Amino acid sequence: MDDVSERELEKFIVKQIGWDKLPPATKALVENSKAKWKQHVIRYSIKHQLRWKNNLIRTLVADERNYYQEIVRISRLNYMLFPYHISDVLTKGLRITPFKYYLEMMTEVMTSEKSYDSLPNFTAADCVRVLAIGRNQFIDIMNRCRAKGFLWKKRANGLRNLLPARSVEGEGEYWWVVHLGFVSEEDIKNSSDMEHATIDLLIDRGPRQAGELDKETVKSLVSRGLIYFQVPVNNQDQIMVPPLEGFVMNRVLGDYFENLLYKIFVSIDERSTVQQLAEVLQVDVESVKQAISMYCRLGFAKKKNVEPLVENSENGTKWHASWLKSSTSTSKPASAPTTGEAGDSNAEDASAQSSEEGLLEDKQDPELPQKRIGFLFDSLLTAFLMMGNLGAGLKTHAVTMFEVGKLADEALDDFLAELAKVSLDEVGEGEAKRYAEHAITLAHTLTFLRHNPALQVPDSDGGLDLLRCERLNSLDDATKLRILHKNYSVLICMAPISAEVAPVASCIPPVYGPTLAEFNSPWFKLFTYHVAGDGPVSLLLPKGTRLRKIPPAFMACEKVSVCAWDHDAYIVSRSQLLPILNDALLAAPVLIQAHSYSKNTHGSSKTHTGVKNTALHTIDVGFPIDPSEEEPLDIITEYNEDNMQFHPTVQRLHSEMGLEHMCGFIRMVRIDTSVRGSSKGMSLGASQALSGVGSIIPSRTSTPIPQYPGSAVPSTVASPYTTPYATVTQATMHTANRYTGDWVPLEVHFGLPIFNTKLNRQVMDKIRDRQLFGEEALRHHSKQSRVLALRLLDFIATYQTASGPVPHPATPLPSVSTSGSTVEDFALQEAAPDVRWLVEGLIVLPATEIAFPGHSNIPAALYRKI
């Protein structure tokens, strides 16, 4: 059964619609079989750990006890979290406590000799809380077991003696609610006087807050499994997520509750109530409360509106002296709930009223701006912070940024304080220095964006939230857009963002960064070369292509850049290129580009300065470019970091792409023209290789010339596809009457660069001076971004085969070759509707080679197609 049918059936299960009332179309999904419908309901109910008495399962399964036992068994086998929302049934009725549940799970993992990483993240964190068994303890126990010989599994108490005998869950928080569990006469006999009195109190007066009871007694009863906690969460509660402490990074299980936990993690906004969060996510509020209750239990979240743990000398206090001595509260004054937890309906009403009263004092002024600035980053940034050995405090924030996917403005003071401790003088060279530079530049960026009145961001309170792209993209599109629209006035992306990460696309709020997935694909590189009329020699090969030899265009290269689709580029020497390229082509299309040329090819290769140039040298030019930088005062004879903004190619890209209302940088690369540009060198290189490809991308300023069908130049690529003859275009030299040197564009990135402190400051100065985030500038940015996106899609459509309209499912890859004619009309219009997107799952496959010839002085006759 496919996912669509599964979701359709689940709708009726949630609505508790029985078999007799199901529509005929729904019955057909289970082949009109009532038995299959029953199996589906049972499977769904167990998977989602539904309460028996409140759901459809009670009409199909009569034995309530067996149903709950099956939930426990399946959950434990799949290493799911203990179902705390049905603790009243499991602990009181079945005497299954979290300690027993996790003890059996840990025993099974160790007996099977599975690794500690087999436990999912949240389950492992709860095991640490209940059993005090983390990674190091797990490894130590396993080593001690193996030291006893290979028969240790068959010894009855061999493993059990090494595991804890009682729960180490502790006394919990003072505002948690204590419930009485399963207590036998034997338990009463073995209890102290204080424990006996506490049990009697809970029997006579019902559940109490932990802070009203003796702290040590609560801790003792919990360890014995005689009481259990419920963590009350109500509709009007506000939740904050501090930096994660004690989070275990193992693996993601993917069950429904874990998915919900991660979904809520990135969506939590401490200015919004639980009810508002559920509405934005369009998730049942009870499910949201269960997830937040789990966060609080694990210590990953805190409630803002809890009654402070202080003594009131005038009216007395309900808190026990043992709690007052050991703890102090920093929470805002509010009335705490007395009983209840998410999913515990009989306690909801008593606690909701007190929480609502407490929020009256904490209510925000609706007249003031409530939105913030969002800074988008990817996992590579968190990896730098975690691997750089830059400090334990910084790693804690990095774990929060990775797992939660968000670091709120309220936590940035501490985060910036940790970043301020990073010094280049205290780190070594190489990668360590690189990580430190990223951290320092990140601190400059966050300080610039946060509470900076000079930015004049409309409808913003000046706050700044850090958002991880991957976590945001894990939400469905509608939910993601609702969250972004509700909380943010503008989004700024780090640059460059990894090619493995899909950009966050949004119209409202506007995004200063890549706005389409296509911007992060090789398509945009080829589009850039097309607009600029120049670029490195490039060849895009479709998945499944097999090369018999290295394309002649790259025979003069010493090293080649290899970029598999949806991956970052890496550098390969020419001697290793062929096997690496063929292996990569088995999994995805690959873009290969000239990286550096051999100095021994066609003699000694020298630049106009007389210096040998065997490796690429790059210069990054930040944009927007100021009007004063559009024309040089003097004739330029050598381009460098100080004057690269005057390069004709940079000026052309800035003008043609409408970069004056965007921010980012253009990366220019220097390539030796003595190999790359000479007629002799070119005739032996790129011209022969590109003459047999499916399509050659021309310069926009070029004029079309016909092909010569009679040519018999053999293709160097053993492609399984055949393509018709195509018209190609000669790429001409720049029309600007000035020296351009060996510099060509390599790539264009949108956003704030964080890898280079100098470039970062240049771009931030341009943002401030040009008022790039002002209201008027935002309108221009939105228009230019849309125009550029449509031009890119139109460019892509030019190299697709017209075969009827289909939706755009993902980043498109070239499907088949078409004519190489230029795209002359870039008017504001939708991409061509007659584009065929060849989809295999979520991947659109290319079917032929697409090339950019590089330097523009190639003889027209060399462009030939077999």
Side-chain angles (χ1 to χ4, degrees), residues 789-849:
L790 292 177
R791 288 178 60 187
L792 175 59
L793 293 177
D794 196 17
F795 169 81
I796 295 172
T798 304
Y799 293 92
Q800 301 285 339
T801 296
S803 182
V806 296
H808 174 208
T811 302
L813 309 183
S815 59
V816 294
S817 173
T818 62
S819 68
S821 59
T822 60
V823 183
E824 296 296 340
D825 184 11
F826 287 122
L828 184 62
Q829 58 182 348
E830 297 295 337
D834 55 347
V835 176
R836 180 178 66 177
W837 308 98
L838 301 180
V839 182
E840 181 180 291
L842 293 178
I843 300 178
V844 188
L845 301 178
T848 193
E849 307 79 20

Side-chain angles (χ1 to χ4, degrees), residues 332-542:
K332 295 182 179 180
S335 298
T338 55
T339 58
E341 182 187 8
D344 188 7
S345 59
N346 59 0
E348 175 77 14
D349 297 336
S351 56
Q353 182 177 359
S354 58
S355 293
E356 291 173 0
E357 293 173 355
L359 280 176
L360 292 177
E361 299 178 13
D362 196 37
K363 212 169 198 179
Q364 297 176 337
D365 187 353
E367 299 289 332
L368 298 176
Q370 302 296 318
K371 295 185 178 182
R372 292 176 174 173
I373 299 172
F375 181 74
L376 302 173
F377 64 93
D378 61 17
S379 298
L380 187 60
L381 178 61
T382 61
F384 285 161
L385 297 177
M386 285 189 283
M387 296 189 303
N389 195 25
L390 304 175
L394 208 52
K395 286 186 178 181
T396 299
H397 288 288
V399 171
T400 305
M401 293 165 63
F402 182 82
E403 292 295 342
V404 177
K406 178 178 179 179
L407 196 64
D409 183 77
E410 289 79 7
L412 286 190
D413 285 335
D414 185 51
F415 183 49
L416 288 172
E418 294 292 338
L419 289 173
K421 299 177 183 178
V422 179
S423 173
L424 291 178
D425 298 333
E426 299 178 1
V427 298
E429 297 295 329
E431 290 297 311
K433 185 176 181 180
R434 180 186 173 206
Y435 298 150
E437 288 177 341
H438 276 72
I440 293 173
T441 308
L442 177 63
H444 295 162
T445 302
L446 302 184
T447 303
F448 171 76
L449 295 175
R450 187 178 182 230
H451 299 292
N452 187 353
L455 297 181
Q456 299 184 4
V457 181
D459 194 26
S460 172
D461 64 1
L464 177 68
D465 288 351
L466 276 58
L467 305 168
R468 187 163 75 95
C469 293
E470 297 95 323
R471 188 66 72 208
L472 273 177
N473 287 329
S474 67
L475 305 173
D476 61 89
D477 291 339
T479 300
K480 176 175 63 178
L481 294 179
R482 284 194 300 270
I483 292 174
L484 294 178
H485 179 65
K486 175 181 179 294
N487 295 328
Y488 302 102
S489 57
V490 64
L491 300 173
I492 299 100
C493 186
M494 64 170 274
I497 195 167
S498 173
E500 300 178 13
V501 178
V504 175
S506 170
C507 293
I508 303 176
V511 179
Y512 283 82
T515 54
L516 289 176
E518 288 82 352
F519 283 99
N520 234 21
S521 72
W523 275 123
F524 188 61
K525 283 188 176 184
L526 298 178
F527 173 72
T528 300
Y529 307 152
H530 168 76
V531 172
D534 207 351
V537 176
S538 305
L539 179 62
L540 176 61
L541 299 171

Side-chain angles (χ1 to χ4, degrees), residues 438-682:
H438 276 72
I440 293 173
T441 308
L442 177 63
H444 295 162
T445 302
L446 302 184
T447 303
F448 171 76
L449 295 175
R450 187 178 182 230
H451 299 292
N452 187 353
L455 297 181
Q456 299 184 4
V457 181
D459 194 26
S460 172
D461 64 1
L464 177 68
D465 288 351
L466 276 58
L467 305 168
R468 187 163 75 95
C469 293
E470 297 95 323
R471 188 66 72 208
L472 273 177
N473 287 329
S474 67
L475 305 173
D476 61 89
D477 291 339
T479 300
K480 176 175 63 178
L481 294 179
R482 284 194 300 270
I483 292 174
L484 294 178
H485 179 65
K486 175 181 179 294
N487 295 328
Y488 302 102
S489 57
V490 64
L491 300 173
I492 299 100
C493 186
M494 64 170 274
I497 195 167
S498 173
E500 300 178 13
V501 178
V504 175
S506 170
C507 293
I508 303 176
V511 179
Y512 283 82
T515 54
L516 289 176
E518 288 82 352
F519 283 99
N520 234 21
S521 72
W523 275 123
F524 188 61
K525 283 188 176 184
L526 298 178
F527 173 72
T528 300
Y529 307 152
H530 168 76
V531 172
D534 207 351
V537 176
S538 305
L539 179 62
L540 176 61
L541 299 171
K543 175 183 175 181
T545 301
R546 302 296 294 171
L547 299 181
R548 295 190 297 267
K549 61 180 180 179
I550 297 175
F554 302 97
M555 289 299 295
C557 293
E558 182 179 25
K559 293 183 179 180
V560 176
S561 172
V562 177
C563 179
W565 211 273
D566 289 336
H567 290 80
D568 293 319
Y570 54 94
I571 308 303
V572 177
S573 64
R574 186 186 61 188
S575 60
Q576 300 174 334
L577 176 62
L578 193 60
I580 292 177
L581 194 56
N582 281 328
D583 286 344
L585 286 167
L586 293 175
V590 177
L591 175 69
I592 56 176
Q593 296 180 288
H595 178 77
S596 63
Y597 289 93
S598 174
K599 61 184 178 181
N600 295 322
T601 303
H602 310 293
S604 178
S605 171
K606 296 185 179 181
T607 66
H608 61 277
T609 60
V611 180
K612 292 183 180 181
N613 179 27
T614 60
L616 291 183
H617 174 53
T618 61
I619 293 179
D620 296 327
V621 182
F623 60 82
I625 297 176
D626 296 331
S628 60
E629 299 175 329
E630 293 181 358
E631 289 294 337
L633 298 178
D634 302 317
I635 297 176
I636 297 175
T637 59
E638 175 69 19
Y639 286 100
N640 51 46
E641 291 185 359
D642 297 327
N643 59 20
M644 185 57 72
Q645 66 271 20
F646 299 119
H647 195 285
T649 300
V650 174
Q651 296 288 333
R652 176 181 296 176
L653 287 174
H654 190 267
S655 174
E656 291 284 335
M657 291 186 174
L659 304 181
E660 62 270 18
H661 299 293
M662 305 178 191
C663 65
F665 64 94
I666 301 170
R667 176 160 292 170
M668 299 291 290
V669 62
R670 188 175 198 170
I671 298 182
D672 191 349
T673 53
S674 63
V675 174
R676 178 177 174 268
S678 67
S679 298
K680 179 181 177 182
M682 200 64 227

Side-chain angles (χ1 to χ4, degrees), residues 302-338:
K302 297 183 182 297
K303 283 174 58 172
K304 293 181 64 176
N305 53 315
V306 292
E307 183 178 358
L309 187 62
V310 295
E311 183 176 2
N312 190 326
S313 57
E314 297 180 359
N315 303 323
T317 179
K318 67 178 182 179
W319 304 122
H320 195 275
S322 59
W323 288 88
L324 293 172
K325 292 178 181 178
S326 60
S327 302
T328 57
S329 175
T330 57
S331 301
K332 295 182 179 180
S335 298
T338 55

Side-chain angles (χ1 to χ4, degrees), residues 76-109:
R76 188 173 59 243
L77 288 177
N78 289 284
Y79 305 147
M80 296 173 64
L81 282 162
F82 180 82
Y84 288 100
H85 60 285
I86 52 175
S87 293
D88 56 331
V89 177
L90 299 184
T91 304
K92 288 182 179 179
L94 302 179
R95 203 172 187 178
I96 300 176
T97 64
F99 174 75
K100 291 183 178 180
Y101 177 84
Y102 288 126
L103 189 66
E104 292 184 15
M105 180 188 296
M106 192 64 68
T107 301
E108 190 276 330
V109 172

Side-chain angles (χ1 to χ4, degrees), residues 178-213:
V178 176
H179 289 257
L180 190 65
F182 186 93
V183 182
S184 64
E185 293 184 3
E186 187 67 23
D187 294 325
I188 295 293
K189 292 178 182 179
N190 295 330
S191 300
S192 65
D193 293 340
M194 183 66 75
E195 291 173 345
H196 197 170
T198 301
I199 292 174
D200 289 341
L201 178 64
L202 294 175
I203 293 175
D204 296 338
R205 301 180 60 182
R208 312 299 299 170
Q209 285 184 290
E212 301 177 33
L213 307 172

